[in-house]
Amino acid sequence: FTHYVDPHDPYLPHPGILSEAEPAGRWSGSRTHLLEMDRLRHALTETDKERIRHLYRGEVKYCDAVVGELLSNLSAKMD
């Protein structure tokens, strides 16, 4: 049994995982910031939203890469 918790919060930057540059913004992907963003949902700018979307996409891609590495290693052991 294997369980990965990504892409749950916090959304951490994974430099080099995404080809596009990390958008500037005042929000990190910390749990505190995500809860605050949820509370202020109506006041968020598109820049704020894009930054968090970018961090989330990085978490998904990072998790995909790690699971791919696990499957590759398991496949190599079975050969």
Side-chain angles (χ1 to χ4, degrees), residues 3 5 11 14 16 23 26-27 38 40-41 44 49 52 64 73-74 76 78-79:
H3 177 72
V5 295
Y11 301 157
H14 296 282
R26 60 189 171 136
W27 303 98
D38 191 44
L40 299 172
R41 179 179 356 211
L44 297 176
K49 293 174 190 176
I52 293 303
D64 184 59
N73 286 332
L74 287 173
M78 296 177 81
D79 290 338

Side-chain angles (χ1 to χ4, degrees), residues 1-58:
F1 176 78
T2 302
H3 177 72
Y4 284 90
V5 295
D6 279 332
H8 298 290
D9 62 22
Y11 301 157
L12 303 173
H14 296 282
I17 266 292
L18 296 174
S19 57
E20 69 268 14
E22 186 177 318
R26 60 189 171 136
W27 303 98
S28 73
S30 72
R31 179 168 286 162
T32 301
H33 277 188
L34 293 172
L35 288 171
E36 184 67 9
M37 288 179 79
D38 191 44
R39 192 178 72 73
L40 299 172
R41 179 179 356 211
H42 62 284
L44 297 176
T45 66
E46 279 306 310
T47 302
D48 294 337
K49 293 174 190 176
E50 186 51 37
R51 176 163 172 74
I52 293 303
R53 286 182 193 122
H54 175 86
L55 290 170
Y56 180 78
R57 282 191 306 272

Side-chain angles (χ1 to χ4, degrees), residues 67-79:
V67 170
E69 186 178 331
L70 172 67
L71 293 176
S72 227
N73 286 332
L74 287 173
S75 180
K77 297 271 186 206
M78 296 177 81
D79 290 338

